[in-house]
Amino acid sequence: LLIRNKFGPSFNMMTVISLWVILGIGADDVFVFVDQFKQAPPGELFHRLAWTYRRAVTAMLVTSVTTAAAFFATAVSRIFPLQEFGCFMGILVVWNYLLVITWFPACVVVLEKQKRRKPHPPLAFRLCHCYCFRRGCGGQGEADEQGQEQQQEEAAERRGG
């Protein structure tokens, strides 16, 4: 409400553009964090997360600060919608950084603990896994395809014989 009162009715159009920009920035930060987590030496989850934090948080901080500074620099523009967009995007970049270093690691911890507790990964991973293996992009995909071919041949024999 405060932002809406400050920036006015043109703010709605700017949020549409901001959504796509911040999704790209957020995806980059998540990629950096996940990549560092995968490179972390094996061991306890706490130590892997600490190692990831030491490496990823500083890299994300540098990129986030420079990106937010660039957006905040548009505040000196004489074009009011550009001022709105820059200030709002600067705020979004700061919030994105804060959420990626707090909420996303919490999600990673939950997923890691879930993988250790249950033999089955979350539904999204199972769906992707099933799709990939049906398409033959994994080692079991060939076995699944052979099994499907065998079932089709048996069905054809039953119909013909």
Side-chain angles (χ1 to χ4, degrees):
L1 186 61
L2 175 66
I3 293 173
R4 174 81 184 209
N5 289 335
K6 165 103 175 77
F7 294 123
S10 65
F11 186 71
N12 287 332
M13 192 58 183
M14 302 312 285
T15 56
V16 173
I17 297 168
S18 302
L19 173 69
W20 300 109
V21 176
I22 200 64
L23 281 174
I25 294 168
D28 181 54
D29 286 348
V30 166
F31 172 76
V32 168
F33 191 89
V34 169
D35 187 49
Q36 293 300 318
F37 188 75
K38 286 181 179 179
Q39 291 180 15
E44 287 186 35
L45 184 58
F46 174 78
H47 296 297
R48 290 183 68 203
L49 201 58
W51 189 89
T52 302
Y53 257 91
R54 280 192 301 274
R55 302 219 17 199
V57 169
T58 53
M60 290 186 298
L61 178 65
V62 170
T63 58
S64 296
V65 166
T66 56
T67 304
F71 281 121
F72 283 131
T74 62
V76 297
S77 174
R78 292 184 180 189
I79 303 169
F80 187 68
L82 189 58
Q83 287 177 350
E84 291 177 347
F85 178 73
C87 289
F88 183 64
M89 280 302 302
I91 293 167
L92 283 181
V93 170
V94 170
W95 273 106
N96 171 67
Y97 174 75
L98 293 174
L99 290 174
V100 169
I101 66 169
T102 55
W103 283 87
F104 186 70
C107 294
V108 169
V109 167
V110 168
L111 284 174
E112 284 295 312
K113 286 186 175 186
Q114 187 179 24
K115 279 199 288 189
R116 292 178 183 177
R117 243 190 343 236
K118 295 181 180 179
H120 300 294
L123 178 62
F125 293 120
R126 286 188 301 214
L127 292 175
C128 178
H129 179 77
C130 291
Y131 176 76
C132 285
F133 284 124
R134 265 191 265 143
R135 301 274 301 161
C137 59
Q140 290 178 340
E142 296 170 8
D144 289 347
E145 287 177 6
Q146 290 174 356
Q148 289 176 355
E149 288 175 9
Q150 193 174 35
Q151 289 176 354
Q152 289 174 353
E153 289 173 5
E154 290 173 0
E157 288 176 8
R158 280 183 264 155
R159 280 187 299 228

